[in-house]
Amino acid sequence: MEQMTIAAVDIGGTKLAAAVSEACGLPCRVLNDVHAHALGEARWGGGRKASSCLVVAVGTGIGGAIAHPTSLTSWFKAEVEK
C-alpha cells in the first residue's frame, strides 16, 4: 500500500474566502469540516426534512454544530489530549 504525506501549510491570517472569490468571480465562504458537514446534512442529508439538524463529529477532537435552513450555530469543540 502506498503512503501519502500531506505537508501542513500555515495559512493563518490568510483571507482565503476573499482570495478565492476574487479569483473565481463568485461568492465564497470558508467553513471548518464539522460546520460544512452540518450544513450538508441540513440541506441534502438526513436533516433536510427537519427544522434544524444537530451534528456531532468525533475524530482527533469532538465538535458539533446545529444547522438551520438559513443559519449555523457552533455548539462545542474539544480537542483530544495525547
Side-chain angles (χ1 to χ4, degrees), residues 37-65:
H37 181 181
L39 287 176
E41 287 294 340
R43 182 149 184 185
W44 297 289
R48 71 183 173 279
K49 294 181 182 177
S51 61
S52 62
C53 177
L54 167 66
V55 171
V56 177
V58 179
T60 57
I62 302 171

Side-chain angles (χ1 to χ4, degrees), residues 11-73:
I11 60 169
T14 302
K15 297 188 183 317
L16 183 60
V20 170
S21 183
E22 184 178 328
C24 297
L26 299 169
C28 176
R29 295 195 59 187
V30 177
L31 304 174
N32 71 25
D33 55 347
V34 176
H35 291 172
H37 181 181
L39 287 176
E41 287 294 340
R43 182 149 184 185
W44 297 289
R48 71 183 173 279
K49 294 181 182 177
S51 61
S52 62
C53 177
L54 167 66
V55 171
V56 177
V58 179
T60 57
I62 302 171
I66 300 172
H68 303 274
T70 59
S71 65
L72 177 71
T73 302

